[in-house]
Amino acid sequence: MLLSQIRTPAGDLRVIAREGTEAFEVRGAASVLALALDCARDGEKIADRIGKLGFGPAVDLAKAYEEGRLVSPILHPDPAHLHLTGTGLTHLGSAATRDAMHQKTMKADEATLTDSMRMFRMGVEGGKPANGRPGVQPEWFYKGNGTMLAAPGAALASPAFADDGGEEPEIAGIYVIGADGQPFRVGFSLANEFSDHVMERVNYLYLAHSKLRPASFGPEILVGELPQDVRGTSRIRRGGATIFEKPFLSGEANMSHTIANLEHHHFKYGVFRQPGDVHVHMFGTATLSFADGIRTEPGDVFEIEAAPFGLPLRNAWAVTPKPGRDEFVRVSAL
């Protein structure tokens, strides 16, 4: 089942569900957040709850997308309670690069490895424990809260002081926190973990800065388990031309960590188990146009698609006017 949210022409929010090509409004569902929290409270699966609620009118999702009426597939009424986070160095890449990376990291002298390669090797060696215990913790980063979220089809607004704006095609886990602090997974979606790779390249310790950029996910949430082998496509369009197109792989078959291990190392922190909060946690990627020498420009459109996740995720890159690169942000004393 795929879940999404749209605005009606009158501005009301509707929850949309589909299995296959036909999409319908879910009766009595105020939002995906409300639906998920009700299921968490009552110990019920989302698909079962939707089956009981039943369906309303059919919806043309593609048309709603074109009209700009698709919103992020889960939102929080207070954006400060929606958290955008992620992990890196978690993917093995294609079969060929996986073997090459594995051999390189396993044979290299420990003293010659960069911190990134050490982290990758740690994941290969300990990211998939077989004993049901926590494995090695991954790289982790913070992207912001709901104020940093761009809806499907909306612009990814990069600050004017940024050095670059580049896509990261990823799978995100979508979570709500129950009344007792228990995390519940709603499902999985496509995500663009938009980042500043030029800034990151200056110094790896700039990684935290480079991640403080907007992100987008959706348009639909896949309810249920993540397929072991996810195969999608990431592309960039400039004007009428496609300037970059490359497959990306995800799912545990292409990762050095289990999803459960990545979830554990995020939600082990009490700050991320606050009742009613929403978490969008991105699991990393092995495909970047930046790594292939592509330099993006404002106006470029990023498109990420993978068959299990329904509609493709599209966002253009825009630049906010302030603060400018040389504009000093002054703090006022009280």
Side-chain angles (χ1 to χ4, degrees), residues 249-312:
L249 303 176
S250 194
E252 288 187 1
N254 303 297
M255 298 172 66
S256 56
H257 290 260
T258 62
I259 297 298
N261 192 51
L262 299 179
E263 291 174 335
H264 162 73
H265 284 296
H266 178 69
F267 290 111
K268 69 184 181 184
Y269 295 102
V271 68
F272 295 141
R273 300 195 306 274
Q274 299 303 303
D277 279 7
V278 175
H279 290 258
V280 179
H281 191 58
M282 290 158 266
F283 296 129
T285 188
T287 302
L288 303 173
S289 65
F290 181 78
D292 284 2
I294 301 295
R295 187 65 187 264
T296 55
E297 299 175 358
D300 287 351
V301 176
F302 306 106
E303 183 176 88
I304 301 166
E305 64 179 353
F309 298 93
L311 295 171

Side-chain angles (χ1 to χ4, degrees), residues 313-326:
L313 177 63
R314 298 189 194 97
N315 301 91
W317 177 24
V319 176
T320 58
K322 289 185 177 294
R325 181 173 296 276
D326 299 319

Side-chain angles (χ1 to χ4, degrees), residues 23 25 37 46 48 98 142-143 173 264 306 323:
E25 292 184 9
L37 289 176
I46 288 177
D48 294 339
R98 175 172 58 194
Y142 174 74
K143 284 197 67 67
H264 162 73

Side-chain angles (χ1 to χ4, degrees), residues 77 144 172 206 225 241 283:
Y206 279 169
E225 296 300 316
F283 296 129

Side-chain angles (χ1 to χ4, degrees), residues 180-195:
D180 61 352
Q182 171 66 38
F184 291 88
R185 187 195 313 119
V186 180
F188 299 92
S189 77
L190 298 173
N192 187 343
E193 196 271 288
F194 187 68
S195 299

